[in-house]
Amino acid sequence: MKGQSTVELSVANNCPFTIWPTTRPSAGNSELSVPSFTLQQGQSTTLEVPDDWAGSIWGRTSCNQNPSGDFTCATGDFNSSSVEWVGKRPALPITRARLHLSHPSGQDIYEVNLADGYNLPMVIRPQRGTGDVCVSTGCVQDLNTQCPPELK
């Protein structure tokens, strides 16, 4: 049965400023109990994720709430005036982690994706994996600035 077990997904902020991470399930997957949250510099949190979950995580930057209660961010904003993700596509650019746990191939699939641009350094470090295919991946600088125009 789908989603019987959970795995722990740790999200850490190693940036010298606050970030507002958000999770978005892929089609057919459940939204996490905490889809959006705040991480101060040096702070981390652990999310309980269904062991067959697929979705993405990105961080929003330079977020503020005005006296009227409207919440906006410089990057990754939802254009919804809300802290919580409300199903809208985020404003680009964003660095996005994509996860597909218990993929039909029998492996967990993960990547850091710059197809939607770059706004934060991001690294995925799998824990307790087996074999030589369970390696860290990520991007700590904007590779899009170094990419030849014909490949952008």
Side-chain angles (χ1 to χ4, degrees), residues 17-147:
F17 47 83
T18 302
I19 62 171
W20 289 260
T22 296
T23 64
R24 177 182 177 185
S26 296
N29 285 263
S30 59
E31 188 170 311
L32 301 182
S33 61
V34 181
S36 299
F37 48 97
T38 304
L39 289 177
Q40 304 293 328
Q41 175 184 351
Q43 193 176 30
S44 65
T45 192
T46 301
L47 305 173
E48 293 290 323
V49 179
D51 65 355
D52 60 353
W53 189 77
S56 58
I57 302 171
W58 68 92
R60 296 171 289 162
T61 63
S62 301
C63 299
N64 293 294
Q65 193 163 23
N66 69 21
S68 301
D70 293 335
F71 188 83
T72 59
C73 302
T75 63
D77 195 49
F78 311 135
N79 298 316
S80 70
S81 301
S82 174
V83 173
E84 298 293 327
W85 178 66
V86 292
K88 292 186 176 185
R89 182 169 169 78
L92 306 181
I94 58 168
T95 308
R96 185 188 308 256
R98 294 182 186 261
L99 307 167
H100 191 154
L101 307 178
S102 299
H103 187 270
S105 69
Q107 298 180 344
D108 294 335
I109 308 279
Y110 55 92
E111 69 178 5
V112 173
N113 189 303
L114 301 183
D116 291 328
Y118 176 92
N119 70 327
L120 288 168
M122 187 181 294
V123 176
I124 299 173
R125 291 186 182 94
Q127 303 293 311
R128 296 182 297 278
T130 58
D132 60 355
V133 297
C134 193
V135 297
S136 296
T137 187
C139 191
V140 295
Q141 63 181 350
D142 187 357
L143 296 178
N144 291 323
T145 61
Q146 302 167 18
C147 189

